[in-house]
Amino acid sequence: MSKKQTTSKNPPIGVKLISIWWYISAFFTALFGLIIMVVGSVGGSYLGDLIGAWAKLIAGLAVVGGIILIALGIVYLFIAINVWKGKSWARMVTLVFSAFAVVTSIFSLPVGIVGLAINGLIIWYLWYNKEGKGYFS
């Protein structure tokens, strides 16, 4: 009988920070989705007398949008866990999402400068830094 051995890797500080960034993103994305669902539903019911059928459409879209954001928050949580564990697919997903965020940040300059800087650092760390790149199996 052979036991399956698991090696626990202690992630470098950069990987920990990226994982924490994903955890924070997951929390706020899901929270925003929940807020949109509640506000859209309540607002739609209050506006029902004023705008009729449009209120139902607005409330329905808010619920759908909220569900999508909550699901995205769950995906972010899954990515955060697996970045911490050093899964190579999580590194690639992070690189793709960060590249997309860099592009969208460029289009929202000067406000997007913070997102541009953070995601640019994430790409540099996971793509070029030996410690960050080497942690992922």
Side-chain angles (χ1 to χ4, degrees):
M1 264 200 236
S2 71
K3 285 187 177 180
K4 187 177 182 180
Q5 256 188 332
T6 58
T7 57
S8 86
K9 300 191 267 187
N10 190 18
I13 188 70
V15 172
K16 288 179 182 178
L17 291 173
I18 292 168
S19 183
I20 290 168
W21 177 254
W22 275 114
Y23 280 112
I24 292 168
S25 297
F27 173 76
F28 282 108
T29 301
L31 179 64
F32 189 60
L34 185 63
I35 290 169
I36 286 176
M37 283 177 52
V38 170
V39 170
S41 298
V42 172
S45 67
Y46 280 118
L47 293 176
D49 293 337
L50 296 174
I51 57 177
W54 287 102
K56 291 179 183 176
L57 177 66
I58 291 169
L61 288 174
V63 169
V64 169
I67 290 170
I68 290 170
L69 287 174
I70 291 170
L72 191 59
I74 293 168
V75 169
Y76 288 174
L77 179 64
F78 186 67
I79 294 169
I81 291 167
N82 286 289
V83 164
W84 191 282
K85 289 180 178 180
K87 303 290 183 182
S88 61
W89 67 263
R91 174 182 168 261
M92 295 308 296
V93 168
T94 300
L95 285 167
V96 169
F97 275 49
S98 292
F100 180 75
V102 163
V103 171
T104 58
S105 295
I106 290 171
F107 288 113
S108 63
L109 286 175
V111 177
I113 194 74
V114 173
L116 181 65
I118 290 171
N119 287 293
L121 284 171
I122 289 172
I123 291 170
W124 170 81
Y125 185 78
L126 293 179
W127 193 264
Y128 295 107
N129 185 283
K130 289 180 183 178
E131 181 182 55
K133 191 177 182 179
Y135 175 69
F136 294 88
S137 55

